[in-house]
Amino acid sequence: MSEQPDPFDEIVDAETDRDPDLAVIEAGSRTLRAQAGSPQGDPVPARPADPEVDKALRAVEQELAGRWGETKLEPSVARIAALMDVLGEPQRAYPSIHITGTNGKTSTARMIEVLLAAFDLRTGRYTSPHVQSVTERISLDGSPIEAERFIETYEDIKPYIEMVDAAQEFRLSFFEVLTGMAFAAFADAPVDVAVVEVGMGGSWDATNVIDASVAVVMPIDLDHTDRLGSTAAEIAVEKAGVIKQDATVIMAQQPVDAAQVMLKKAVEVDATVAREGMEFGVVSREVAVGGQLVTLRGLGGEYEEIFLPLYGAHQAHNAAVALATVEAFFGIGAEQTRTLDMDTIRKAFASVASPGRLEVVRRSPTVVLDAAHNPAGARASAAGITESFGFSRLIGVVGASGDKDVRGFLEAFEPIFAEVVVTQNSSHRAMDVDELAAVAVEVFGDERVVVEPRLDDALETAITLAEEESEFAGAGVLVTGSVITVGEARLLLGRG
C-alpha cells in the first residue's frame, strides 16, 4: 500500500513552485492560525477551497514567478508608467498616501488603514513582502483581495502587460505587475483612499507613479546600501522622491543629514512638513498587558490613553506617525485645528495587528517572532523585548540573508541574548550557516554560539536551552533575522 503524501510536503512543494523565496511561509501562517485563530481585523487567506479557483490562482502565481524577482532591479519608472498609460491612469482615480523609509512601513500602513476605515472610508492597501499569500499585498477594506478577484484583475490587465512588455527593453518585473494590479483593483473597487508602501527607495520605485497628497517618511537607516547609497543622506535623496508638489510630509524622527535632505526637497516642491518631536509625537507610554498604553500628540491636539496591542517604543512612534498622517489627510493642522473623535481613534488602534513584529506564537517557553533584518530593526526589537517581556534568559535563533549587515544586526542583540543558535532558512539569499556562525562567534564568543544548519533543529535546540534549568523558568526564545526565517518558524511551531 502506497504511503499517503504528507500535507506538510504538499504545501511546501506547492509554495516552492509559486514563490521560491518564500517557500513555506504560507503553510506556516495557515497552520499557526488553525491553532490560535485569526487575529481580529487581520484575516490572512488560506488556499482557495474551490479546486478550480486554486488552479487558476496557481497559474497566475506561476506567470508572475517567471518575471524578474524583487532583488533584480533596473531603476526606472518607465515600464510602470507605460502600463498606467495604457490602463487609463487608474492610480489617479483616488487620493493616495505614500509611505517610504527603512523600517516600520508595513506596521504604520496597517495602522493608517485601520484609522481611515474607522471613519467609514473604503481603503486599499499595498504592502510588501507577503507572509502567506501573494494576495495579501493587495488589501481592500482591511482584508487581502479575494483569490477570484486577484485572478480577474490579472486577466483583465494581462493584454496591456504584454503590450508594454513588447515595447520596452525589459519586461515588467514581478513587483511592477503587482503594483499595476493593485492600482487597477483600487480603481475598480472603487476605494476612497489608497495606502501605498514603496517596495524599495522612492524615486524609481514602481509605486512612484502616484501623486500622493500625504507622503510619509519613516525612520531612515542603512539598508539596501548597494542600491540606495552608503549614508543616510544618500538614501534620503532616493526616498525623497515620494514628496510631490504641494503635498503634506509626515516625517518620523530622522538622522540629521537625512532630515536636511527631506526638508530641502519639501521646500523645492512647496510641501508642508510635520516633524515627529515638533508638530506631533509620543507624549507618554507605559507597558500594558498585551501591548502598551500611549498618549499621542497629533496635529490637532492630544489623544490620551490609547491602548496599542503591539510591543516596543518603535510601535508607539509608528502609531504617532499613523495618527498624524490620517489627521493630515483630513486637513487637520493646515486647514483646521481639532482632534478626531477620541472614541473612534481608541477603538481603531485597539484592533491593530502586525504579524511577525514581536509576535508571540507559543508559551512555556514563550517563543516570539520578529522580522527585523537590519541593525536599526534589531535595536528596536531588542529594546521592545527587554521592556515588554522581562525574560530571565533569552535564547536567539537567527537566520539572516547574506546581503545584510549581519555583524551590526548581531551586535544589537548581543546584550540580551544569553546564547544564540545560528541557522539557515530555505531562501537562495540566505547566509551560509558557517559564515553566519563565524561572525556570531566574533560578536558573542565561542561558548555562546550554537550552530544548527536546519531551522527545525535550531528551534528545538533553542527551546531546550530555554527550558533546561528550573531557575530559568522565565526564559524565552526570539526567532529573527528575516521575514523568511520568521515564516518558516511559523510553520514548524504550528506543527508542534
Side-chain angles (χ1 to χ4, degrees):
M1 183 175 179
S2 62
E3 191 178 48
Q4 290 294 314
D6 185 342
F8 169 83
D9 292 335
E10 288 185 343
I11 293 169
V12 173
D13 288 345
E15 294 310 305
T16 301
D17 289 342
R18 187 181 58 143
D19 190 343
D21 284 351
L22 302 174
V24 297
I25 292 178
E26 169 164 358
S29 299
R30 187 157 79 244
T31 307
L32 194 63
R33 280 193 311 282
Q35 292 185 344
S38 297
Q40 185 177 1
D42 185 44
V44 185
R47 296 300 308 182
D50 185 326
E52 291 302 313
V53 175
D54 187 54
K55 181 180 178 181
L57 179 60
R58 290 188 188 281
V60 173
E61 292 165 338
Q62 195 66 36
E63 290 187 26
L64 290 172
R67 294 180 174 272
W68 274 2
E70 290 166 284
T71 59
K72 186 170 183 179
L73 302 168
E74 194 276 320
S76 167
V77 294
R79 293 175 301 280
I80 187 68
L83 180 60
M84 292 297 99
D85 183 52
V86 296
L87 289 176
E89 304 289 348
Q91 82 281 16
R92 305 199 191 286
Y94 39 81
S96 297
I97 294 169
H98 208 177
I99 308 173
T100 189
T102 303
N103 291 307
K105 296 187 295 294
T106 299
S107 291
T108 304
R110 288 177 175 276
M111 294 183 202
I112 292 169
E113 173 188 49
V114 168
L115 289 169
L116 291 169
F119 290 97
D120 298 322
L121 293 181
R122 289 209 73 188
T123 58
R125 172 170 55 84
Y126 182 54
T127 53
S128 59
H130 59 272
V131 175
Q132 170 189 331
S133 167
V134 69
T135 60
E136 289 172 36
R137 296 183 181 224
I138 304 172
S139 284
L140 295 170
D141 295 320
S143 298
I145 189 171
E146 293 180 354
E148 292 90 342
R149 197 164 189 170
F150 184 89
I151 296 162
E152 288 169 6
T153 301
Y154 179 76
E155 295 298 338
D156 285 346
I157 73 170
K158 184 177 178 180
Y160 302 97
I161 293 170
E162 293 172 345
M163 189 186 307
V164 173
D165 282 345
Q168 296 290 322
E169 181 181 2
F170 302 106
R171 296 171 72 218
L172 288 154
S173 69
F174 168 83
F175 186 75
E176 288 168 335
V177 171
L178 279 174
T179 302
M181 290 174 61
F183 294 157
F186 295 163
D188 186 59
V191 302
D192 296 316
V193 54
V195 183
V196 179
E197 174 189 327
V198 303
M200 185 185 299
S203 295
W204 45 259
D205 187 74
T207 62
N208 206 32
V209 289
I210 61 175
D211 289 320
S213 59
V214 183
V216 182
V217 185
M218 299 307 293
I220 292 173
D221 212 293
L222 302 184
D223 200 7
H224 301 295
T225 53
D226 56 329
R227 298 181 178 93
L228 302 180
S230 58
T231 68
E234 289 176 356
I235 293 171
V237 170
E238 174 57 35
K239 293 183 185 291
V242 304
I243 301 174
K244 304 298 173 59
Q245 189 73 33
D246 300 322
T248 299
V249 182
I250 304 299
M251 193 163 70
Q253 291 177 341
Q254 303 290 345
V256 173
D257 54 350
Q260 289 173 339
V261 170
M262 291 293 169
L263 291 171
K264 181 181 178 182
K265 177 60 182 288
V267 170
E268 290 172 358
V269 297
D270 294 321
T272 301
V273 179
R275 299 154 294 176
E276 183 181 4
M278 299 290 285
E279 286 76 23
F280 70 94
V282 178
V283 176
S284 65
R285 51 182 295 274
E286 59 183 271
V287 176
V289 175
Q292 55 192 303
L293 198 64
V294 299
T295 293
L296 305 176
R297 185 175 76 253
L299 304 179
E302 283 198 4
Y303 297 77
E304 298 178 342
E305 296 187 345
I306 295 169
F307 176 66
L308 184 66
L310 302 172
Y311 300 106
H314 59 295
Q315 294 290 14
H317 289 286
N318 291 344
V321 171
L323 176 61
T325 298
V326 173
E327 286 183 311
F329 182 78
F330 287 130
I332 293 173
E335 301 169 16
Q336 51 188 307
T337 302
R338 64 178 178 86
T339 57
L340 297 170
D341 181 74
M342 194 71 68
D343 287 340
T344 303
I345 293 295
R346 285 186 179 131
K347 288 176 183 177
F349 271 122
S351 69
V352 167
S354 193
R357 277 72 178 178
L358 292 181
E359 178 186 17
V360 178
V361 295
R362 172 180 166 155
R363 299 286 185 182
S364 299
T366 299
V367 178
V368 183
L369 305 181
D370 192 82
H373 54 272
N374 55 43
R379 290 191 293 270
S381 176
I385 280 277
T386 301
E387 173 188 78
S388 301
F389 291 88
F391 292 124
S392 57
R393 174 182 173 87
L394 181 62
I395 310 300
V397 175
V398 176
S401 296
D403 58 349
K404 300 297 181 181
D405 178 3
V406 174
R407 179 181 295 276
F409 179 87
L410 292 173
E411 287 173 345
F413 282 116
E414 190 277 330
I416 70 166
F417 284 167
E419 294 179 73
V420 60
V421 182
V422 296
T423 189
Q424 188 170 335
N425 63 51
S426 67
S427 168
H428 67 275
R429 299 201 306 272
M431 187 173 193
D432 177 78
V433 70
D434 292 328
E435 292 180 26
L436 179 56
V439 179
V441 167
E442 291 178 8
V443 174
F444 289 87
D446 187 61
E447 293 184 357
R448 294 167 64 195
V449 178
V450 180
V451 181
E452 291 287 2
R454 289 169 52 104
L455 181 56
D456 54 351
D457 292 335
L459 290 170
E460 185 176 347
T461 296
I463 289 169
T464 300
L465 287 169
E467 291 175 330
E468 68 183 1
E469 296 181 42
S470 59
E471 66 180 289
F472 295 128
V477 174
L478 174 64
V479 184
T480 187
S482 87
V483 67
I484 300 166
T485 301
V486 163
E488 294 179 353
R490 280 172 174 263
L491 170 62
L492 294 163
L493 292 166
R495 292 185 74 209

